[in-house]
């Protein structure tokens, strides 16, 4: 419906401001809004309130008016840094007609707000643009409406500016999208969560997929997968440590050989909106109003009891909940096994509903607010739905001599055959160090630029694209845009479970780039790579050219694949 400043106090609102299109994210939620209400009479599932959090959408016409009214030109700003571009946008004025409506919005909405991008390109099948543009959380807790209004406007301008940031330009160039055709919608949405002292965050943020590329135990690919994290969903979409499970079989044990291994691979820090002393003023930063906490702080704040288990050193076993003084393990067992809330069943229901509406595989994002003390309401917020590009076409891998195989894995995303590749860029195992991952990303960016679009196979360690440099190599897509097949290998010091919930992962699978996960050291023929003539041999990265063409073969029906000479 059209925005009406006199109806903002309603329990549920989905309003639009301006003219034009809502963009991908907002259109996806609007598409499911009525269906969600029909599937959950009374707005709940087994007593758990379920809704799409109240939101106002600035349509793409507002962006066009903003750009034209301030005479902003992409060709004039393209040579500037992202910070300089952001400052240009901060000095610009929003269309006058918005001022009264936005002031009314912040006057009545007193909780924290998420200001999210919703561009025309986002969440389109086979044209993935997830996580490329900015999202900014604002505390919305200044004592006067004018102060809250200023913070909201700064966040909107940052989202608009991110349309022209270098990451966006490089990504659009690498994927063949015309940035000049891009138009940005903006979602202003209430955050799901509770205040814990000077922080606001949900008990659980989640990303769930209806198709699981890495099933465990009795789980099938079609049973899906969910990634769960304490606090804001930034942990998951940035490729950080989170808990993963099959929502249809939430009791399936994780693939860890010991509790020590489990503790090393589970979440220890979380993101929250800062409601306390303001941080240094910088409207050009996405995380200006965010703060990180650890499990000790979460326990002191009272948000951890319904989410964790305790490692009992005496018996070397996990005890559900807070028990004694042992280390806390964020395995969400009170939710997944203890019946605190029907979360696994609800995820299954929502994935089925979204898959039915989209008529294909889907990825959803959500947040759950719990209050262990029972004084504040429990609430589940459905935040986003986007289509998944799942490729299942079968391919034969028979008849390839073992001595010609460079890479082999039973965990590969993609399908079909690629040929004509001669170059391999790989991180040298002997030189790799977790503390050097930022430097490694820089070397890879340079090699990618010098290759000038020539296709290559990319091999490295840990999670590609993780924002946490201790989990993998923190590249963005423009730094490896020539890669036509990507290999994620493991080392003893860096072997996190493959991440399916990150924006980087979603974009790769949507683009159809084969993605090999290799946990067995024998899965990569390092000796063959070392014998190939080097084009470049840097501190951490080696670029070689194969005397023979390479073939990339992936069976999308089984997840098996090889890269062979």
């Amino acid at each position: 419906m059209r925005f009406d400043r006199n109806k903002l106090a309603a329990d549920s609102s989905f309003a639009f401001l301006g003219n034009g299109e809502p963009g991908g994210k907002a259109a996806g939620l609007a598409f499911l809004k009525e269906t969600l209400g029909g599937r959950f009479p009374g707005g709940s599932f087994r007593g758990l309130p379920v809704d799409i959090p109240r939101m106002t959408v600035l349509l793409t016409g507002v962006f066009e008016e903003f750009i034209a009214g301030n005479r902003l030109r992409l060709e004039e700003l393209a040579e500037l840094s992202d910070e300089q571009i952001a400052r240009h946008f901060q000095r610009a004025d929003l269309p006058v007609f918005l001022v009264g409506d936005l002031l009314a919005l912040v006057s009545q909405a007193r909780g924290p707000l998420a200001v999210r991008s919703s561009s025309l390109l986002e969440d389109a099948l086979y044209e993935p643009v997830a996580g490329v543009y900015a999202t900014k959380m604002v505390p919305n807790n200044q004592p006067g409406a004018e102060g809250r209004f200023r913070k909201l406007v700064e966040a909107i301008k940052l989202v608009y500016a991110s349309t022209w940031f270098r990451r966006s330009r490089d990504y659009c160039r690498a994927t063949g999208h015309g940035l000049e055709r891009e138009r940005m919608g903006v979602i202003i949405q209430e955050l799901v969560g509770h205040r814990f002292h000077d922080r606001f965050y949900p008990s659980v943020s989640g990303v769930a997929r209806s198709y699981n590329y890495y099933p465990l135990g009795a789980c099938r690919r079609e049973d899906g997968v969910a990634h769960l994290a304490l606090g804001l969903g930034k942990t998951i979409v940035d490729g950080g440590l989170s808990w993963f499970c099959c929502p249809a079989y939430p009791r399936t044990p994780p693939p860890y050989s010991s509790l020590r291994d489990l503790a090393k691979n589970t979440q220890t820090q979380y993101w929250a909106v800062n409601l306390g002393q303001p941080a240094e003023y910088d409207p050009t930063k996405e995380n200006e109003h965010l703060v990180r906490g650890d499990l000790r702080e979460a326990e002191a704040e009272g948000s951890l009891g319904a989410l964790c288990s305790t490692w009992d050193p005496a018996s070397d076993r996990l005890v559900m909940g807070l028990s004694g003084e042992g280390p806390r393990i964020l395995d969400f067992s009170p939710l997944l096994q203890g019946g605190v809330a029907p979360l696994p069943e609800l995820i299954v229901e929502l994935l089925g509903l979204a898959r039915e509406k989209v008529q294909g595989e889907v990825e959803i994002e959500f947040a759950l607010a719990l209050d262990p003390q029972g004084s504040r309401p429990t609430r589940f917020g459905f935040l986003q739905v986007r289509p998944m590009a799942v490729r299942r076409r079968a391919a034969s891998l028979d008849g390839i001599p073992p001595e010609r195989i460079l890479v082999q894995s039973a965990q590969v995303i993609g399908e079909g055959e690629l040929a004509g590749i001669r170059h391999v860029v790989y991180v040298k195992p002997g030189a790799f160090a977790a503390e050097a991952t930022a430097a490694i990303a820089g070397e890879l960016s340079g090699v990618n630029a010098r290759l000038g679009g020539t296709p290559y196979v990319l091999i490295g360690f840990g999670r590609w694209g993780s924002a946490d440099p201790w989990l993998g190599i923190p590249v963005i897509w423009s730094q490896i845009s020539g890669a036509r097949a990507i290999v994620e290998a493991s080392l003893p010091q860096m072997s996190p479970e493959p991440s399916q919930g990150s924006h980087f992962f979603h974009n790769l699978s949507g683009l159809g780039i084969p993605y090999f996960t290799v946990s067995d050291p024998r899965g990569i023929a390092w000796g063959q790579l070392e014998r190939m003539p080097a084009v470049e041999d840097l501190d951490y990265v080696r670029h070689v050219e194969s005397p023979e063409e390479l073939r990339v073969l992936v069976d999308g029906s089984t997840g098996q694949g090889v890269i062979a000479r």
Side-chain angles (χ1 to χ4, degrees), residues 141-372:
N141 66 338
Q142 289 78 12
E146 289 188 6
R148 301 198 297 277
F149 170 77
R150 282 196 300 272
K151 293 300 180 185
L152 175 61
V153 168
E154 289 171 358
I156 293 169
K157 290 178 181 178
L158 179 63
V159 174
Y160 280 164
S162 70
T163 315
W164 291 357
F165 282 176
R166 180 167 299 279
R167 177 172 62 180
S168 311
R169 301 197 306 271
D170 289 347
Y171 188 89
C172 286
R173 187 181 304 115
T175 56
H177 293 111
L179 187 59
E180 67 280 355
R181 297 185 293 107
E182 179 67 298
R183 298 292 182 270
M184 182 63 71
V186 174
I187 296 172
I188 304 168
Q189 189 172 43
E190 63 175 341
L191 275 182
V192 174
H194 289 309
R195 180 169 187 158
F196 298 95
H197 300 300
D198 285 339
R199 297 172 182 174
F200 186 100
Y201 54 93
S203 307
V204 182
S205 288
V207 175
R209 301 179 131 223
S210 62
Y211 190 83
N212 182 5
Y213 288 107
Y214 309 113
L216 297 172
C219 301
R220 304 168 302 159
R221 291 186 168 209
E222 294 75 15
D223 289 324
V225 63
H227 286 258
L228 309 176
L230 169 68
L232 300 174
K234 180 176 173 64
T235 297
I236 302 172
V237 300
D238 282 357
L241 286 176
S242 60
W243 185 260
F244 68 98
C245 67
C246 173
Y249 300 94
R251 295 176 180 270
T252 300
Y256 300 114
S257 58
S258 66
L259 289 181
R260 189 172 302 278
D261 193 27
L262 174 66
K264 186 176 73 172
N265 287 283
T266 50
Q267 183 185 1
T268 58
Q269 293 186 312
Y270 67 95
W271 285 100
V273 177
N274 178 22
L275 300 181
Q277 185 67 28
E280 181 181 355
Y281 175 70
D282 189 349
T284 68
K285 290 176 60 178
E286 274 190 88
N287 61 353
E288 179 189 8
H289 303 299
L290 301 186
V291 63
R292 297 194 80 170
D294 58 30
L295 297 192
R296 188 184 301 274
E297 292 170 298
E299 184 173 349
E301 291 164 350
S303 64
L304 199 58
L307 308 176
C308 75
S309 293
T310 301
W311 182 0
D312 179 12
S315 61
D316 196 31
R317 65 187 183 93
L318 287 181
V319 180
M320 188 182 299
L322 299 172
S323 177
E325 299 298 323
R328 310 309 188 194
I329 306 295
L330 201 50
D331 62 357
F332 298 90
S333 57
L335 269 174
L336 300 177
Q337 303 175 30
V340 169
L343 182 62
E345 299 89 345
L346 177 56
I347 293 172
V348 170
E349 185 78 10
L350 288 172
L351 286 175
L353 170 65
R355 181 162 44 190
E356 177 184 310
K357 290 293 291 183
V358 174
Q359 296 186 336
E361 305 298 346
V362 294
E363 178 177 287
I364 64 173
E365 296 185 21
F366 56 86
L368 174 66
L370 298 170
D371 182 12

Side-chain angles (χ1 to χ4, degrees), residues 101-134:
D101 289 332
L102 294 181
L103 194 55
L105 191 155
V106 296
S107 295
Q108 298 184 50
R110 293 302 299 270
L113 299 171
V115 182
R116 310 178 191 274
S117 64
S118 183
S119 82
L120 294 181
L121 292 177
E122 284 183 289
D123 299 348
L125 187 62
Y126 302 114
E127 292 189 349
V129 188
V132 175
Y133 304 123

Side-chain angles (χ1 to χ4, degrees), residues 447-462:
V447 173
N448 182 81
R450 288 186 287 276
L451 275 164
T454 301
Y456 62 89
V457 172
L458 176 64
I459 303 173
F461 303 99

Side-chain angles (χ1 to χ4, degrees), residues 22 86 101 165 183 216 230 385 390 407 409 449 488 565:
D101 289 332
F165 282 176
R183 298 292 182 270
L216 297 172
L230 169 68
V385 59
V390 175
V407 179
S409 174
E488 174 185 306
R565 294 182 288 111

